[in-house]
Amino acid sequence: MSQQFLDTEGPGWVERGIISTEQLQQLRALYPAQPRAIGLLPLLGSILVGLSALSLVAANWQDLPEALRLALLIGALMAAYAGGEYFLARGQRGLGIGLVSLGLLLFGAGIVLTSQLYQLIGYDVTGLLAWVVAGVVLTYVYQSRTLLLLTVFIGALAQGYSAGSLSSYSYATAALTAGGLGYYWWRRPDGFCGVVLATGLLWQSALLIDFLHIKITWFFVPAMLIYAVGDWQPDRPAARAWQAPPLVAAFLFMLGLAMFGEAGSYTDRLRPQLVGFLGALLLVLLVSVAGKRARGRLASTADWLLLLPGYYFPGGLPLAVAALVVLYAYSGSVLYRGFREQAPERVNLGTVLFVLTTMVAYFKLTWDFLNKSLFFLLGGLLLLGLSWYLRRQARALPPSDQPPTPQS
Amino acid sequence: MTTFSLFPPSPEQRRRRAVLAVAAQVLFVLLVAAAGYAVSHYGRTVALRTSPVDPRDLLRGDYVSLNYDISQVPRRLWRGEAEPRRRRPVYVELQPTAAGYYAAAAVYPAEPATLPTGHVVLRGWISNAWRQGLQLRYGLERYYVPENTGLGLQRQPLLVRVSIAPWGQSRITGIEKLPAAASPR
């Protein structure tokens, strides 16, 4: 309950005699005003200041003597960290962390500019790796979400550079992101950080698949491993956020298959060697289900419907239909769980997914054959019927069958 | 001394770790600078010839673009079993020529175990491969110059001195104009 809510509603309760003025005071004391969360502002602010300083120095950079340039870099770096400590010691956490973030950015700039200063060419990603290490260390030292988010981006950048410019994969960067930042998130679970970190890990997984030149469907083995970690995370809301990016990736991939799978020209790039791939995926499934069991969330096993390997069907129409079946199974399961657990957001999500799938199915399968008004009429009736059926199902459930309220 | 704690560290632990982390970062930047000196001190220096690039994009910002003779090599120098693939890292064996600069002798997919005396290896990447030749990238294609001095450099062939350290880093240590009289290859 927020202070603001008590402020607006409280006097009304007192007026109606529901609570006394004293009780309102007690309630206010129970829910003290939270210090305003600034969140992204210090991060963005520090990025802007960093960029401006960078462009100013960069404009005159070449004219400065080498030693001065080096001193400038190190001086700015130390000043930013010292400033961060100064404000943190005075309780201004937002500003302090902002300056520490700036210091971290300046460290990266320092590595790049110093290499450039000496026209130094490296053939591995050591410099950027040091940047990632610094980010992970500072995340722990300052216990900061902002630094974690920044380090996810630095890791993504380092891996992108390694893959794009050096044609190599930095396993150390991947391990630091997954192990270092992942462990921090595990101990300090948080929804937004979960989404960003999981997305960063998906990016690094995708680069790995590209680097190894293996079939792109292998991507879903690391992706679902990320998902499975969420199953073991005790904090339910943070775990759901963490699991969203892999699920979104799987859904989009299936949607793409349903839409373009017919072409068949690239389907040979989707089919990894059957036993190895399915074995690996099954192993991840076991890890995931074990986690769901341990945390009492077996109902969410339906998420795995998205991973049904429909792409082993021959290209063309069978493949598109198989992808559609997978999509329908998944969105149907989301809807069903939404109604069963009386969770409106999930019902809405399920509806959107269902409509999306239906649209694809329509355009794919019936657009050419059906009269257009009949086409939309059928779609509408289908959804209305489904909603009616699910509501009836939900009402028929005995109250005791309701799942327990989400544990923290 | 308090016990080691990650979540969260005590205030004095935090401060001490912060100081260590910042000191390590400063040290790392200094090490990068030291590596710059070390490469020119311990590295083998080779001279590479560049040919003039299209004068319209001579100077981009603060650097000149360098087009080395060894940036394009004939396909017969490829020593790999598999077809050369774009973006693949390669090891280019360089041999000195009578004219005073180095030329490409072979392109390997992995570091060659033995080299004839006088030959050196420079690492690079394949940026393009076609039937007759390979286009290579060395990461040395940019030379950062003090303002307004680069323009004059490029209308003629240049001799670029590159230091190659035994541990793999390399850097441009010098750049000079090649007398126009020096005959091409």
Side-chain angles (χ1 to χ4, degrees), chain B residues 73-85 88-91 105-110 126 133-134 136:
Chain B
V73 298
R75 181 62 175 269
R76 61 186 155 76
L77 296 187
W78 175 248
R79 296 289 183 270
E81 280 169 17
E83 288 291 289
R85 208 179 51 223
R88 184 186 214 303
V90 291
Y91 296 77
V107 180
Y108 297 93
I126 296 178
L134 298 173
L136 302 175

Side-chain angles (χ1 to χ4, degrees), chain B:
Chain B
M1 189 155 180
T2 44
T3 51
F4 185 84
S5 148
L6 272 181
F7 292 101
S10 64
E12 67 269 25
Q13 276 179 332
R14 195 205 73 198
R15 177 159 288 234
R16 196 166 52 236
R17 286 177 199 170
V19 168
L20 278 178
V22 175
Q25 291 176 36
V26 171
L27 187 69
F28 189 86
V29 173
L30 288 175
L31 274 178
V32 174
Y37 289 108
V39 168
S40 39
H41 191 261
Y42 295 104
R44 283 276 302 273
T45 302
V46 298
L48 298 171
R49 215 181 76 111
T50 70
S51 45
V53 293
D54 180 352
R56 271 168 306 183
D57 59 338
L58 282 183
L59 192 68
R60 296 192 186 154
D62 300 332
Y63 62 85
V64 286
S65 331
L66 301 172
N67 178 35
Y68 295 93
D69 285 356
I70 57 167
S71 294
Q72 296 86 25
V73 298
R75 181 62 175 269
R76 61 186 155 76
L77 296 187
W78 175 248
R79 296 289 183 270
E81 280 169 17
E83 288 291 289
R85 208 179 51 223
R86 278 189 61 215
R87 297 178 57 206
R88 184 186 214 303
V90 291
Y91 296 77
V92 182
E93 180 186 336
L94 302 176
Q95 64 182 8
T97 62
Y101 50 85
Y102 280 68
V107 180
Y108 297 93
E111 189 157 19
T114 55
L115 282 179
T117 43
H119 289 209
V120 284
V121 164
L122 183 61
R123 291 175 63 170
W125 294 268
I126 296 178
S127 54
N128 215 345
W130 64 96
R131 211 139 51 83
Q132 281 88 25
L134 298 173
Q135 173 86 31
L136 302 175
R137 175 173 69 86
Y138 294 94
L140 298 163
E141 283 77 9
R142 289 177 177 187
Y143 181 66
Y144 294 87
V145 284
E147 294 231 338
N148 302 327
T149 54
L151 214 69
L153 282 176
Q154 297 208 350
R155 310 272 160 108
Q156 51 186 307
L158 300 172
L159 207 57
V160 178
R161 293 191 188 284
V162 174
S163 287
I164 307 167
W167 57 87
Q169 285 176 310
S170 61
R171 65 174 285 207
I172 297 177
T173 41
I175 188 160
E176 63 198 65
K177 290 177 188 175
L178 199 68
S183 62
R185 274 182 268 205

Side-chain angles (χ1 to χ4, degrees), chain A residues 250-260 323 327 353 356-357 360:
Chain A
F251 190 86
L252 289 181
F253 177 73
M254 275 297 160
L255 207 62
L257 268 193
M259 286 205 277
F260 309 111
L327 288 172
L353 296 183
L356 211 60
T357 310
V360 172

Side-chain angles (χ1 to χ4, degrees), chain A residues 58-59 61-63 66 70 73-74 77-78 81 85-86 88-89 93 103-104 107 110-111 114-124 126-127 130-131 134-135 137-138 140-143 162-168 183-184 187-188 210-211 213, chain B residues 5-9 13-15 17-19 21-22 24-37 39 62-63 85-89 122-126 137-147 164 167-173:
Chain A
W61 189 247
Q62 302 294 339
D63 300 333
E66 277 181 15
L70 200 58
L73 284 172
I74 290 175
L77 176 85
M78 294 193 352
Y81 284 121
E85 275 293 325
Y86 175 87
L88 281 172
R93 189 162 164 86
L104 182 57
F107 177 50
I111 296 169
T114 311
S115 310
Q116 184 195 313
L117 182 61
Y118 295 100
Q119 314 267 348
L120 197 60
I121 307 296
Y123 298 93
D124 52 36
T126 311
W131 198 12
V137 168
L138 290 178
Y140 280 89
V141 169
Y142 289 102
Q143 303 278 303
S162 182
S165 287
L166 303 177
S167 301
S168 67
Y183 182 66
Y184 185 87
R187 293 289 303 273
R188 293 262 185 278
D210 181 56
F211 169 73
H213 287 97
Chain B
S5 148
L6 272 181
F7 292 101
Q13 276 179 332
R14 195 205 73 198
R15 177 159 288 234
R17 286 177 199 170
V19 168
V22 175
Q25 291 176 36
V26 171
L27 187 69
F28 189 86
V29 173
L30 288 175
L31 274 178
V32 174
Y37 289 108
V39 168
D62 300 332
Y63 62 85
R85 208 179 51 223
R86 278 189 61 215
R87 297 178 57 206
R88 184 186 214 303
L122 183 61
R123 291 175 63 170
W125 294 268
I126 296 178
R137 175 173 69 86
Y138 294 94
L140 298 163
E141 283 77 9
R142 289 177 177 187
Y143 181 66
Y144 294 87
V145 284
E147 294 231 338
I164 307 167
W167 57 87
Q169 285 176 310
S170 61
R171 65 174 285 207
I172 297 177
T173 41

